[in-house]
Amino acid sequence: MENLLLVIWFFIVGSVIGSFLNVCIFRIPEGKSVIFPVYSFCPKCEKKILWRDNIPLLSFFLLRGKCRFCREKISARYPLVEFLSGAVTAVNFYIFGYSFYFLHITIFFYFLILLSFIDIEKGTLPIRISIIGVVWGILSGVFGRILSTYEILLGGILGGVIIIAVGLFGKLVFRKESMGGGDVLLAMMIGFFLGYKDVFISIWLAFLISFIFIIGYIIKTRKLRGRIKFGPFLSLGAFVCVFFGERLLSWYFRLL
Ligand SMILES: [Zn+2]
């Protein structure tokens, strides 16, 4: 019972952090400060959003997804990011308990959520955020003794090298730019946080998931246009790897 209350508490804390991530997703690509102004404004009528309309998840449903003043639709991304952040925080606490690993992996997921949603909305992975993620991943991994320094550094390098290699391969075969610098940095960040074994599994999963997605997309629309945003798939791969990586690996080796 006490544990259940703690899990709920961490869900609430996570959704409040998700609310801050929403501010970052909106403001960082526009080059605005994430701290000032402290209050958020409706992008249409520019009225200040009241504190009681700023409660994670709840406010969106109470307002039925519309601005209180001008009835402009609020993006479903707001409750989605708040829910995801709350859910990963609660689930991580449930699985990993009070440990440094809980902090390490939860902050890692916040970076993934932040970068993925910016990629989905703006089609870009801001270098600034990835670099902060890279530095954070190395420091947290080394000082928290998550893995050996060698495994951490090798992870980051391996992640970057694989994506650069895939990008060059794509350029040669399809004569199209497939991977950007943002994807390389994101893969490096995943490597620094998870180490060389898991970055390998994460990228492998990212390709598998994106392949299934692309096939589904082609079947549905009968065409394929534009550049595929790979950031969200890399994040999804890392996410699946953290929770199911070992199980997937042992299952895979049993098949061989
Ligand atoms: Zn408004």
Side-chain angles (χ1 to χ4, degrees):
M1 182 62 197
E2 195 189 329
N3 226 21
L4 180 70
L5 283 177
L6 270 170
V7 170
I8 294 169
W9 162 247
F10 275 107
F11 180 87
I12 296 168
V13 172
S15 66
V16 172
I17 293 170
S19 180
F20 174 68
L21 293 178
N22 269 323
V23 173
C24 296
I25 292 164
F26 180 71
R27 291 190 191 173
I28 290 175
E30 305 204 339
K32 290 180 188 157
S33 159
V34 296
I35 299 166
F36 300 107
V38 175
Y39 292 100
S40 295
F41 298 87
C42 167
K44 196 179 175 212
C45 67
E46 295 180 342
K47 282 214 172 78
K48 196 163 98 181
I49 293 165
L50 307 174
W51 70 265
R52 60 190 159 101
D53 292 342
N54 224 345
I55 301 161
L57 287 167
L58 274 184
S59 293
F60 181 86
F61 292 102
L62 290 177
L63 290 167
R64 291 168 203 275
K66 287 178 189 137
C67 169
R68 175 181 295 275
F69 305 107
C70 69
R71 317 302 294 160
E72 171 80 350
K73 263 190 152 180
I74 303 167
S75 163
R77 185 252 294 160
Y78 284 88
L80 186 60
V81 166
E82 285 156 2
F83 174 77
L84 279 175
S85 307
V88 296
T89 312
V91 170
N92 286 348
F93 175 74
Y94 183 74
I95 297 175
F96 307 118
Y98 288 112
S99 61
F100 192 82
Y101 191 73
F102 161 63
L103 268 183
H104 180 77
I105 223 67
T106 306
I107 291 173
F108 173 56
F109 284 163
Y110 295 152
F111 273 110
L112 294 181
I113 291 171
L114 179 58
L115 286 163
S116 298
F117 279 91
I118 293 179
D119 200 13
I120 291 167
E121 268 181 25
K122 310 275 175 178
T124 172
L125 289 163
I127 306 271
R128 268 195 302 165
I129 304 175
S130 305
I131 289 176
I132 296 171
V134 160
V135 174
W136 195 298
I138 297 172
L139 293 179
S140 169
V142 170
F143 290 107
R145 301 188 184 198
I146 303 297
L147 292 163
S148 73
T149 308
Y150 156 79
E151 285 174 294
I152 293 166
L153 295 182
L154 189 63
I157 295 165
L158 188 69
V161 168
I162 295 174
I163 297 299
I164 290 172
V166 169
L168 287 176
F169 178 78
K171 213 173 175 181
L172 280 173
V173 176
F174 303 108
R175 304 191 177 281
K176 228 169 74 175
E177 210 68 62
S178 52
M179 295 289 166
D183 297 308
V184 175
L185 268 174
L186 174 56
M188 290 181 77
M189 185 188 97
I190 294 171
F192 287 129
F193 267 100
L194 300 183
Y196 73 95
K197 285 180 204 146
D198 281 4
V199 78
F200 195 79
I201 301 171
S202 300
I203 295 176
W204 186 81
L205 283 167
F207 280 111
L208 185 72
I209 299 166
S210 65
F211 181 74
I212 295 167
F213 177 85
I214 290 165
I215 296 296
Y217 185 83
I218 291 174
I219 291 171
K220 205 174 156 212
T221 63
R222 309 210 170 269
K223 65 188 166 210
L224 187 63
R225 277 183 304 160
R227 188 180 149 264
I228 300 146
K229 293 164 187 166
F230 201 56
F233 291 114
L234 274 173
S235 301
L236 217 54
F239 183 80
V240 175
C241 174
V242 167
F243 292 122
F244 307 106
E246 258 164 54
R247 245 178 285 173
L248 281 172
L249 212 61
S250 64
W251 174 72
Y252 182 73
F253 280 116
R254 251 183 284 147
L255 282 181
L256 292 178

